[in-house]
Amino acid sequence: MRTPLLRRCPEGRTRRRGHALAVVTVVAAALGASMLGGGPVERPERPGGALAGQLDALRGANDLVRGTRADVGRDPALYPTAYGRLEAALATGRPIRGIRPGALADLARTDVLDTPAWRAHYVCLALGSSTTGDPVAVLERAGIREQAEKEALGYLLVPDDGDDSLTSLATRAAFLQTLTCLGHDDQVPRSILDRLASDTARAGQPVPALHAVEALGQAGVRARATRVLRDADAELSRTGCRGSDPIQRAALTLLRQRLTPSTRSCLLPALNDPDTQTRWLVRRALVSRSATAHSLPVSLPAPVGRLRSDGLVGKSPVQLGTLTATYNAARALTASAQQTHTPDWLERRLRRMGSAAGPDLDPSDRVLLAMICHRLALSDCGPQAEKGAEEAAGLEVPARLTAENQRAWYGAMAARAEFGPGCRRTTVELPEGQDAGQLPESQGSRPASLSSRSLRIAAVLADSGCTALATRLTEEYDLVARARQALRDGDLLTASDAVQAALASDQVIPQDFWDGLPALLEPYRDAKFPDLYAPSPGGVASADATRAAYYLLA
């Protein structure tokens, strides 16, 4: 999921997100064991000597690791279409070319990186830039209107307790805006709107605060970003151009209704930012009434994005890395004993993100930054990483894993696995409807093999020190056979999880498995960068598949 707070670039996204996290890392990591089934085994000599150097192939434009080496292409997507059209309308000063309803509906149906409510949000934004188009009709045609309305209202009534406060604020603002667009904001109780207004006043970042103020205004509720405005002067004097995130500075300018010459100079370069939401908010700030009030020039270059003939906007050719992918790369480096060879560009970027002079990161990003720095043994990642480590220590593991709280559960377990505070009492609700630790006595109801998601859960439990629970979950399954089958089926991630679960449950892993492992992994090696691995044979490398491969080879 991408959000206005969590964009593709984690220190500014979503989402994404997104998103979005926008998007949350699910870490199913390995146990670096050398004693299996009560006896020693010999591992074959492993690849990986060139891993650190070949990470350049996954280097994003922001010097973080990209999730995949694949070119995202220039096909249209909802997120750039929504904000690209808003930017284009600002540049022309009038409504722009209409958008083909069929093309937008097809995109809303197929752009599954986002949930239905987020897709509905982007449809509303995309159509808001023109005088034609009915978002309800488009979403009906896409077959997601009812799902989107249910999700948006459900989140407003009961926000996800796994989201930090800023992500929650941004998501509630977006979903309120969506329900208003679809004519259902009257279903939101006044008490929910008042709570959103109260949270807006306490918010510490301009972007989610701005979106919340505007969403509430559209719903007829007056709100004020009290804390953001109170701290504005101190924040601007502390950061300067280099230390401020352009999207946050633009949002602050719009909230303050004041554009100074120095802020204008800081924002102008961001008109070329690869993120369409950043460009839109920056352009809004630069052409706002405060610019004319201060006699600042409002003539700006044309938008770098272009509308297609059908009214959609393509993805940016510039590809950014994420903290999630960077964490996967860090785990691959440590599993291959290459952490002392971490690329210089990545170390510089991590230290810059964590420094006091850098933009304030979202809490979820601070935790991920702290996890990466801890994994790579970088001791000088700055105060933001230190704060992230403190926040990680305070994450509560839900007592029971369910479909509703899985993001919070995985995030908290991943942090515990990284910093090692030990197993936290928890139970899980398996996809097959079974509860780890409370397996049915009758074996007739057991599935023939564990699903990929169940194996991921078992591996996460094991990595977090909950080996007894992981063992009860997997003890009656042949996990080595499951790993072999997954590799034959072209699923590297599931194979890796199966082996990590086998290690945790002390299952005997025969020597012939280790002897044959390099050959089994050979088809997964990236043809151009053979020390990187793809999720399926013949594919291009990804950060999570590379991590999975090196945990198999560790």
Side-chain angles (χ1 to χ4, degrees):
M1 176 175 65
R2 286 189 299 270
T3 75
L5 171 64
L6 300 173
R7 300 170 296 138
R8 287 183 176 82
C9 179
E11 57 277 22
R13 133 191 59 141
T14 263
R15 140 195 171 158
R16 95 41 328 334
R17 230 195 197 230
H19 179 339
L21 305 111
V23 188
V24 176
T25 308
V26 179
V27 180
L31 302 173
S34 60
M35 298 290 290
L36 307 173
V41 298
E42 296 179 5
R43 300 289 185 89
E45 188 169 339
R46 61 193 181 191
L51 171 61
Q54 291 184 13
L55 280 179
D56 281 357
L58 293 174
R59 182 178 182 178
N62 56 352
D63 283 345
L64 293 174
V65 176
R66 293 162 50 200
T68 175
R69 193 175 67 79
D71 188 344
V72 298
R74 297 172 183 259
D75 292 337
L78 280 174
Y79 180 89
T81 293
Y83 293 107
R85 288 181 61 83
L86 288 170
E87 183 194 15
L90 273 178
T92 62
R94 59 183 184 277
I96 56 174
R97 175 194 309 151
I99 191 167
R100 291 182 193 166
L104 186 57
D106 287 344
L107 200 55
R109 183 175 58 255
T110 59
D111 195 352
V112 294
L113 286 177
D114 295 297
T115 66
W118 278 108
R119 282 181 268 167
H121 179 62
Y122 297 138
V123 166
C124 286
L125 293 179
L127 292 175
S129 57
S130 64
T131 56
T132 60
D134 179 1
V136 174
V138 168
L139 295 173
E140 283 280 11
R141 188 168 178 173
I144 64 169
R145 182 187 62 80
E146 290 187 7
Q147 292 173 274
E149 291 174 354
K150 181 179 179 181
E151 179 191 348
L153 182 59
Y155 190 98
L156 279 162
L157 296 176
V158 185
D160 187 338
D161 58 10
D163 286 342
D164 60 64
S165 60
L166 293 175
T167 300
S168 174
L169 180 67
T171 304
R172 285 180 287 155
F175 289 176
L176 175 59
Q177 207 170 21
T178 302
L179 290 173
T180 302
C181 163
L182 300 179
H184 291 300
D185 54 309
D186 58 346
Q187 296 181 14
V188 183
R190 179 65 194 222
S191 60
I192 298 298
L193 299 178
D194 290 342
R195 187 201 310 167
L196 182 57
S198 177
D199 291 344
T200 301
R202 292 193 296 267
Q205 278 196 359
V207 170
L210 173 68
H211 288 312
V213 166
E214 293 180 340
L216 286 163
Q218 292 171 12
V221 177
R222 181 180 175 85
R224 179 176 170 80
T226 306
R227 179 182 170 189
V228 166
L229 293 171
R230 182 193 67 207
D231 299 342
D233 290 333
E235 179 66 17
L236 290 175
S237 62
R238 179 183 72 85
T239 58
C241 282
R242 288 177 59 87
S244 64
D245 186 352
I247 192 172
Q248 299 292 351
R249 194 169 190 127
L252 181 57
T253 298
L254 291 166
L255 286 168
R256 300 177 82 198
Q257 300 181 30
R258 186 194 313 169
L259 177 67
T260 64
S262 61
T263 290
R264 185 177 191 276
S265 298
C266 290
L267 293 180
L268 278 172
L271 290 172
N272 293 310
D273 194 280
D275 180 68
T276 49
Q277 184 184 178
T278 296
R279 296 201 307 266
W280 167 61
L281 278 178
V282 165
R283 191 173 289 270
R284 274 187 66 188
L286 291 172
V287 301
S288 62
R289 271 185 265 173
S290 58
T292 55
H294 289 80
S295 300
L296 297 174
V298 294
S299 177
L300 299 174
V304 295
R306 293 289 182 269
L307 299 187
R308 297 173 9 140
S309 60
D310 56 8
L312 303 178
V313 177
K315 302 168 187 171
S316 169
V318 177
Q319 298 179 61
L320 303 177
T322 68
L323 285 169
T324 296
T326 301
Y327 184 58
N328 276 320
R331 297 183 74 86
L333 285 169
T334 54
S336 61
Q338 293 290 305
Q339 65 269 28
T340 57
H341 302 291
T342 300
D344 291 341
W345 52 266
L346 181 55
E347 286 195 16
R348 286 195 302 269
R349 177 59 170 152
L350 295 171
R351 290 189 172 105
R352 196 160 60 242
M353 289 181 69
S355 71
D360 286 339
L361 300 178
D362 305 325
S364 56
D365 289 340
R366 283 196 297 266
V367 170
L368 267 175
L369 176 65
M371 291 167 66
I372 295 165
C373 292
H374 182 266
R375 173 62 48 170
L376 296 175
L378 301 179
S379 58
D380 52 349
C381 274
Q384 299 213 57
E386 293 173 4
K387 186 174 182 180
E390 294 172 359
E391 290 167 331
L395 291 176
E396 290 291 331
V397 178
R400 180 183 180 86
L401 169 63
T402 65
E404 290 72 30
N405 68 12
Q406 59 182 321
R407 292 199 325 162
W409 189 89
Y410 279 123
M413 293 292 280
R416 295 185 74 83
E418 183 58 47
F419 294 107
C423 179
R424 180 79 177 191
R425 182 177 179 82
T426 186
T427 59
V428 299
E429 182 179 293
L430 297 180
E432 293 85 4
Q434 297 171 354
D435 181 15
Q438 299 178 8
L439 297 176
E441 294 182 6
S442 170
Q443 299 306 303
S445 62
R446 298 179 66 91
S449 65
L450 286 171
S451 68
S452 296
R453 180 169 176 261
S454 293
L455 288 168
R456 175 60 56 90
I457 292 169
V460 172
L461 287 168
D463 196 43
S464 304
C466 301
T467 54
L469 185 54
T471 298
R472 286 198 294 274
L473 171 63
T474 61
E475 60 187 350
E476 296 190 31
Y477 293 96
D478 187 341
L479 296 176
V480 177
R482 182 71 173 89
R484 293 185 196 270
Q485 184 62 49
L487 288 172
R488 286 194 295 268
D489 292 343
D491 188 349
L492 175 55
L493 297 177
T494 295
S496 183
D497 287 342
V499 171
Q500 308 324 314
L503 291 169
S505 58
D506 204 28
Q507 289 194 16
V508 174
I509 301 181
Q511 183 66 45
D512 71 317
F513 176 81
W514 300 119
D515 292 341
L517 191 55
L520 289 171
L521 291 178
E522 189 65 28
Y524 292 87
R525 300 179 79 170
D526 188 295
K528 292 185 178 180
F529 302 94
D531 274 14
L532 303 180
Y533 288 81
S536 57
V540 295
S542 73
D544 57 353
T546 298
R547 183 266 307 158
Y550 283 106
Y551 272 74
L552 279 171
L553 294 165

